[in-house]
Amino acid sequence: MKKITVRRMAEECGFSVLAGADALDREADRVFCCDLLSFVMGRAPADSAWVTVMGNVNAVAVAVLADTACIVLAENAPLDGEARSRADGQGVPVLGSPHPVFDTGLLIQRLLEG
């Protein structure tokens, strides 16, 4: 499986950039879908595109701990202001998708498969 930049993921999947615009050149090599933060901390692979509906500061902290390439908020889930500030400050790209979690993950997976 190939790696893609978060920037390319956003462009080709039609995702909006909600935060972390300075870190869009980070590469992702897989998808991880989950909303349970404690589960993500222990299981999300580094460099994964983490698809969730959790748009709060705790999600940003978990993304940093798990070293995910980005957070993709599915279903137009909102990113709160504190989370946006933290993501910008810690270089965590946060993207927005209008699609359900599964469909968002599938779009990314298909892009990774080329």
Side-chain angles (χ1 to χ4, degrees):
M1 193 161 323
K2 64 183 180 179
K3 293 183 177 190
I4 57 168
T5 65
V6 175
R7 180 182 319 279
R8 181 172 169 216
M9 182 188 311
E11 290 169 355
E12 294 199 24
C13 294
F15 302 154
S16 56
V17 177
L18 304 176
D22 291 341
L24 295 177
D25 291 326
R26 173 95 189 252
E27 292 185 321
D29 63 4
R30 65 190 68 202
V31 182
F32 186 80
C33 300
C34 187
D35 291 324
L36 185 60
L37 299 181
S38 60
F39 197 84
V40 175
M41 280 192 297
R43 304 230 178 153
D47 300 323
S48 61
W50 172 27
V51 182
T52 184
V53 295
M54 303 294 292
N56 58 38
V57 70
N58 293 330
V60 175
V62 168
V64 170
L65 287 171
D67 196 25
T68 62
C70 63
I71 299 170
V72 183
L73 293 178
E75 302 194 30
N76 289 318
L79 179 66
D80 70 39
E82 184 181 359
R84 180 176 284 106
S85 295
R86 184 73 55 91
D88 284 336
Q90 295 196 340
V92 177
V94 182
L95 308 178
S97 167
H99 308 291
V101 170
F102 177 82
D103 295 336
T104 297
L106 189 58
L107 282 170
I108 299 166
Q109 182 64 32
R110 287 181 175 154
L111 185 59
L112 285 165
E113 290 174 352

